[in-house]
Amino acid sequence: MVLLLLLHAAGALLAVPVVRRWGTRGVLLTALAPLAAVVWLARVWAVDGTSAVRTAELPWVPGLDLSVALRLDALSGLLVLVVAGVGALVLAYSAGYFAGEEEAGDRVRTVPALLGFAGAMLGLVLADDLVLLYVFWEVTTVLSWWLVGAGGRRGEARRAAVHALLVTTAGGLALLVGVLLLASEAGTTRISELLAAPPEPTAAVSVAAALLLAGAVTKSALLPVSAWLPGAMVAPTPVSAYLHAAAMVKAGVYLVARFSPVFEQVPLWRTATVVVGGATMLVGAWRSLRQHDLKLLLAHGTISELGFMVVLLGAGGRTAALAGAGLLLAHAMFKSALFMVAGAIDHAAGTRDVRELSGLHRSARPLFLVSIAAAASMAGVPPTLGFITHEAGFEAFAAHGGTAERVVLVVLVAGSVLTAAYSTRFVLGAFGDRAGAEPTRLHGPGAAMVLPAAAGALGGLVLGLVPGPVDALVSAVVADRPAEGPEPYHLTLWHGLTPALAASAVALGGGALLVAARGRVLRAQERLAVRPLRELTAGRVQDEALRALDAVAARTTRAHQRGSLPQYVLVVAAVLVVGPGTGLVLAVAAGAWPNEWRAWDAPAQPLLAALCVAGAVAAAAVRSRRSAFLVVGVSGYALAGLFVVAGAPDLALTQTLVETVTLAVALLVLRRLPPRFEPDAGRTARGPSRAVRVAAAAGAGVVAALLSAVALGARSAEPVADLVARLAVEEGGGENVVNVILVDVRAWDTFGEITVLTAAATGVASMVFLRHRTGRAPGLREADAAGDAALASSWHEEEDLHPGPDSAPQRPWLTAAGTLPPGRRSAVVEAAVRLVFGVVMVLSVHLLLVGHDRPGGGFAAGLVAGLALFLRYAAGGRYELGEAARVDAGVLLGLGLFIAGVAGLAPLALGGGAFESAVLDLHLPVLGDVHLVTSLGFDVGVYLVVVATVLDVLRSLGAGVDEQHERDAGPGDVDPDDVPEGVSA
């Protein structure tokens, strides 16, 4: 199971180059991943039967008892069949849908995301841990936003995607709180354990049930938040056929099916699922009858059928759950087939409006036959699987129960009447003849678009004729539920003359009458849709709520985000003084003040502390920006000295390097800012006066210092320093405790941090200039055959220099004069820096290799290498930087993340856990005994990410600014003595 998830993740990543290079053939290759899941599932069922239970577990956060726990049972197997089976068909359909050259961009944007979504859905339905289920739940939310938004290319798609994102994210937050409450009450996050021993129906469990149901309602587009699903129909048809028929919207239904046994003793659960599901079924079907767009008709029909499924799966009985599980499978087949038919019509005719289509039953006969079979299953016409599951649903409420069950039965039959009507409307509207209309011209869809749809439609027909396999599967799903009668109900084509059969006949007959009286029904709908009700539709209410939310957010932003950094810092300091400061006063009043104080542990500590304070005060007093940064640096270096005195050389080294790199970057930024701060005019429109800000800063410092003292004085437990130092050697394989913590104990956090660092570095560097970057490093470019040499930048590809044999470059070459350092380039300085550069780079590699046992590590080593690059830039400007680092920073960032990820997973092959350290003691020729820890590879990844980040900053804030300055400078601004020989000014 883990391999299946990894296969989908790897396939989604590789699908971009594969689809871009091989086109439709690459799209067909992506269908192999979900097809592999179907083959694996079939093999498991062939060996162990549909009631087989398989588990897999991968340690995730052992300290919190969290793991990637996967479990296959009958219910998850049913969903795997739906997700993977329909996923394979939709991806195959995409090969025909995105076949044209004009759809190449859509193909690359959509197909990899579809494959990733299939993997996320597999993880969701196989998860045996509440936290893991929530993680995959949110992954599907993000991917659906991307798929519906079509990459942000169209405004309508973006609005629909944001609408769906806000609704489903709100449901996801409710689900998260419900998951935490349920885990707290049950004492476990394992879903299998919850099913085996459901918690007592306390008030907290009831709240958890309501929150989980809220998550299901938003994901499955049930009332009152169903409006996002029709809006999402702006997405490409493969997305609609998969997400909104078989996969995403089934996540909420799966949640109801999975947790109904857990919450069956909670009164709210059964009532809410039946009421919400029944209302959704009626309203969705009623709205479907009014639609002229084929996809909107199917979307509202999907909402209706999802409500039907929720009623059946939440009602609690065995027969109802059996019918719900069967309908879930039938719906995935017929609804995905109908969506694919609608997409094929739109693709071939250029429209999917039934008012513009006519006579397609002659020109598109294969699609016509497919739509008849699929729509018959949707309407519940025998002998389809849809008929069998509809009849089972009627049986659940007709044969057993009292008045409440009879009311539910009436609702289900009424909804089924409407379902039969809009199913017929789909077929007649898409393929029938319109009076006085010319037959629609059709560019016949290819087999790639017809065959996947035919597979879904024929599946519903074949499984209706031979329902044994489906009955075995859904019977295993409800095996733990007692039968209502002497014999358990089974899915078969003929049960005799029963009330359920009569209900099916009423549903089909009523649907036929509605179709026959189509004109009257439409007029009745128009009369009922009076203006007040029309304005209070769920979609309009949600749109108005979103507008109000946007307005509140805008006002809040204008009030607080004024672009003033001092004001932001003042708010933070004031909150610290008022909040924790008040708590500090209360703690002291309660006797939490330390009994004794020690002024210092070493005589150097008060001197270094005074230096820290003096640097901070001087920074607030000086008016020069550059001087202020320099004195702040004094505080940073004094803090590094405190670390040295405290016996933490590794922290001291890191602090020193961070402070140095920060100063270097600050000097780059200061080149483009005024040399002095604006004079303080007291209380102005910009914010509080200087005195208020000084008081807030001083108060925040005092509160922070006293909080630390009180916290240390109140500690009653033994310090963990000795334990961590011992475990660092025994389990982490290193004596540098700080580095072992970074690359072993909290390696997951470190990997997340370097991922964020990569994104932040890329974003900051990209925002320096609004023009696009090619990512190629600036460097030396050889001139023409005449032997002239031109130093040119390739930062912007369109601005490369291309001198001819008898021509000079079109742009003057400037030195770093006026940038950093001031003055002309010095050959002596450049030569000296080049000599030092090699030594510093060797030192950085040394710190990298010894970091697991001595002060150093990937982060510190990367900063040292970054400082070496800064020296090259300071000595010779951007051209010297280009000579020092010809590699692309983006490549280094990606390579660093990749190496760190591979090194984190390497211990799995050695019997360890992910992102743990595995120790290898090897005896190698020449080298002799070698003590190797796999976390060294992780450190190498961190090293490359840090070096690439510094390089990206130097190229954007340094070289990029220089280049912009050169472009803005005219020929008269160039000193001829600064121009290299052979280059014209």
mmCIF file of all heavy atoms in Angstrom, residues 615-634:
data_model
loop_
_atom_site.group_PDB
_atom_site.id
_atom_site.type_symbol
_atom_site.label_atom_id
_atom_site.label_comp_id
_atom_site.label_asym_id
_atom_site.label_seq_id
_atom_site.Cartn_x
_atom_site.Cartn_y
_atom_site.Cartn_z
ATOM 1 N N GLY A 615 24.985 47.935 22.125
ATOM 2 C CA GLY A 615 24.723 47.884 20.681
ATOM 3 C C GLY A 615 23.273 48.177 20.363
ATOM 4 O O GLY A 615 22.957 48.876 19.395
ATOM 5 N N ALA A 616 22.352 47.636 21.191
ATOM 6 C CA ALA A 616 20.932 47.870 20.951
ATOM 7 C C ALA A 616 20.582 49.344 21.155
ATOM 8 O O ALA A 616 19.844 49.933 20.353
ATOM 9 C CB ALA A 616 20.103 46.990 21.877
ATOM 10 N N VAL A 617 21.101 49.948 22.210
ATOM 11 C CA VAL A 617 20.820 51.362 22.473
ATOM 12 C C VAL A 617 21.414 52.240 21.378
ATOM 13 O O VAL A 617 20.788 53.191 20.893
ATOM 14 C CB VAL A 617 21.364 51.756 23.852
ATOM 15 C CG1 VAL A 617 21.240 53.268 24.066
ATOM 16 C CG2 VAL A 617 20.627 51.006 24.952
ATOM 17 N N ALA A 618 22.639 51.919 20.953
ATOM 18 C CA ALA A 618 23.279 52.709 19.899
ATOM 19 C C ALA A 618 22.510 52.608 18.587
ATOM 20 O O ALA A 618 22.381 53.586 17.850
ATOM 21 C CB ALA A 618 24.722 52.234 19.703
ATOM 22 N N ALA A 619 21.975 51.421 18.307
ATOM 23 C CA ALA A 619 21.204 51.259 17.074
ATOM 24 C C ALA A 619 19.971 52.144 17.073
ATOM 25 O O ALA A 619 19.542 52.642 16.023
ATOM 26 C CB ALA A 619 20.797 49.798 16.913
ATOM 27 N N ALA A 620 19.378 52.342 18.250
ATOM 28 C CA ALA A 620 18.203 53.201 18.330
ATOM 29 C C ALA A 620 18.566 54.682 18.289
ATOM 30 O O ALA A 620 17.723 55.512 17.941
ATOM 31 C CB ALA A 620 17.427 52.907 19.615
ATOM 32 N N ALA A 621 19.825 55.000 18.612
ATOM 33 C CA ALA A 621 20.217 56.405 18.711
ATOM 34 C C ALA A 621 20.803 56.952 17.413
ATOM 35 O O ALA A 621 20.581 58.123 17.075
ATOM 36 C CB ALA A 621 21.232 56.583 19.845
ATOM 37 N N VAL A 622 21.546 56.137 16.668
ATOM 38 C CA VAL A 622 22.233 56.658 15.482
ATOM 39 C C VAL A 622 21.223 56.931 14.369
ATOM 40 O O VAL A 622 20.165 56.307 14.297
ATOM 41 C CB VAL A 622 23.302 55.667 14.988
ATOM 42 C CG1 VAL A 622 24.359 55.450 16.048
ATOM 43 C CG2 VAL A 622 22.687 54.351 14.583
ATOM 44 N N ARG A 623 21.560 57.865 13.511
ATOM 45 C CA ARG A 623 20.672 58.249 12.419
ATOM 46 C C ARG A 623 21.096 57.640 11.086
ATOM 47 O O ARG A 623 20.344 57.645 10.133
ATOM 48 C CB ARG A 623 20.637 59.780 12.286
ATOM 49 C CG ARG A 623 20.230 60.467 13.571
ATOM 50 C CD ARG A 623 18.774 60.912 13.519
ATOM 51 N NE ARG A 623 17.815 59.924 13.118
ATOM 52 C CZ ARG A 623 17.231 59.058 13.957
ATOM 53 N NH1 ARG A 623 17.546 59.047 15.237
ATOM 54 N NH2 ARG A 623 16.349 58.190 13.512
ATOM 55 N N SER A 624 22.308 57.113 11.001
ATOM 56 C CA SER A 624 22.793 56.509 9.770
ATOM 57 C C SER A 624 22.324 55.054 9.696
ATOM 58 O O SER A 624 22.489 54.294 10.652
ATOM 59 C CB SER A 624 24.312 56.560 9.696
ATOM 60 O OG SER A 624 24.798 55.753 8.634
ATOM 61 N N ARG A 625 21.754 54.685 8.557
ATOM 62 C CA ARG A 625 21.277 53.307 8.406
ATOM 63 C C ARG A 625 22.432 52.316 8.490
ATOM 64 O O ARG A 625 22.324 51.286 9.144
ATOM 65 C CB ARG A 625 20.550 53.151 7.071
ATOM 66 C CG ARG A 625 19.268 53.945 6.948
ATOM 67 C CD ARG A 625 18.603 53.716 5.598
ATOM 68 N NE ARG A 625 17.448 54.575 5.397
ATOM 69 C CZ ARG A 625 16.208 54.265 5.743
ATOM 70 N NH1 ARG A 625 15.958 53.100 6.298
ATOM 71 N NH2 ARG A 625 15.213 55.101 5.534
ATOM 72 N N ARG A 626 23.521 52.618 7.810
ATOM 73 C CA ARG A 626 24.639 51.685 7.803
ATOM 74 C C ARG A 626 25.239 51.547 9.195
ATOM 75 O O ARG A 626 25.559 50.442 9.648
ATOM 76 C CB ARG A 626 25.689 52.163 6.805
ATOM 77 C CG ARG A 626 26.821 51.187 6.590
ATOM 78 C CD ARG A 626 27.676 51.590 5.411
ATOM 79 N NE ARG A 626 26.904 51.601 4.168
ATOM 80 C CZ ARG A 626 27.400 51.938 2.984
ATOM 81 N NH1 ARG A 626 28.671 52.316 2.893
ATOM 82 N NH2 ARG A 626 26.649 51.922 1.914
ATOM 83 N N SER A 627 25.337 52.634 9.912
ATOM 84 C CA SER A 627 25.886 52.572 11.275
ATOM 85 C C SER A 627 24.959 51.769 12.191
ATOM 86 O O SER A 627 25.415 51.011 13.056
ATOM 87 C CB SER A 627 26.071 53.989 11.826
ATOM 88 O OG SER A 627 26.985 54.713 11.040
ATOM 89 N N ALA A 628 23.658 51.939 11.996
ATOM 90 C CA ALA A 628 22.711 51.214 12.828
ATOM 91 C C ALA A 628 22.869 49.706 12.639
ATOM 92 O O ALA A 628 22.863 48.941 13.615
ATOM 93 C CB ALA A 628 21.284 51.652 12.495
ATOM 94 N N PHE A 629 23.022 49.262 11.397
ATOM 95 C CA PHE A 629 23.196 47.830 11.160
ATOM 96 C C PHE A 629 24.509 47.333 11.750
ATOM 97 O O PHE A 629 24.585 46.214 12.262
ATOM 98 C CB PHE A 629 23.141 47.538 9.658
ATOM 99 C CG PHE A 629 21.749 47.305 9.154
ATOM 100 C CD1 PHE A 629 21.034 48.323 8.542
ATOM 101 C CD2 PHE A 629 21.148 46.068 9.307
ATOM 102 C CE1 PHE A 629 19.753 48.103 8.090
ATOM 103 C CE2 PHE A 629 19.864 45.840 8.846
ATOM 104 C CZ PHE A 629 19.158 46.867 8.242
ATOM 105 N N LEU A 630 25.531 48.165 11.680
ATOM 106 C CA LEU A 630 26.827 47.740 12.221
ATOM 107 C C LEU A 630 26.772 47.581 13.736
ATOM 108 O O LEU A 630 27.304 46.601 14.295
ATOM 109 C CB LEU A 630 27.907 48.744 11.827
ATOM 110 C CG LEU A 630 28.272 48.770 10.335
ATOM 111 C CD1 LEU A 630 29.277 49.880 10.044
ATOM 112 C CD2 LEU A 630 28.831 47.425 9.899
ATOM 113 N N VAL A 631 26.100 48.486 14.429
ATOM 114 C CA VAL A 631 26.049 48.359 15.887
ATOM 115 C C VAL A 631 25.107 47.239 16.306
ATOM 116 O O VAL A 631 25.300 46.615 17.355
ATOM 117 C CB VAL A 631 25.648 49.697 16.546
ATOM 118 C CG1 VAL A 631 26.734 50.739 16.341
ATOM 119 C CG2 VAL A 631 24.315 50.196 16.023
ATOM 120 N N VAL A 632 24.093 46.974 15.502
ATOM 121 C CA VAL A 632 23.275 45.788 15.773
ATOM 122 C C VAL A 632 24.137 44.541 15.635
ATOM 123 O O VAL A 632 23.998 43.575 16.401
ATOM 124 C CB VAL A 632 22.061 45.740 14.822
ATOM 125 C CG1 VAL A 632 21.395 44.369 14.867
ATOM 126 C CG2 VAL A 632 21.055 46.803 15.196
ATOM 127 N N GLY A 633 25.028 44.555 14.656
ATOM 128 C CA GLY A 633 25.955 43.445 14.509
ATOM 129 C C GLY A 633 26.837 43.269 15.728
ATOM 130 O O GLY A 633 27.180 42.136 16.103
ATOM 131 N N VAL A 634 27.193 44.369 16.373
ATOM 132 C CA VAL A 634 27.983 44.270 17.608
ATOM 133 C C VAL A 634 27.216 43.481 18.660
ATOM 134 O O VAL A 634 27.777 42.613 19.351
ATOM 135 C CB VAL A 634 28.321 45.686 18.124
ATOM 136 C CG1 VAL A 634 28.936 45.619 19.525
ATOM 137 C CG2 VAL A 634 29.276 46.382 17.170
#
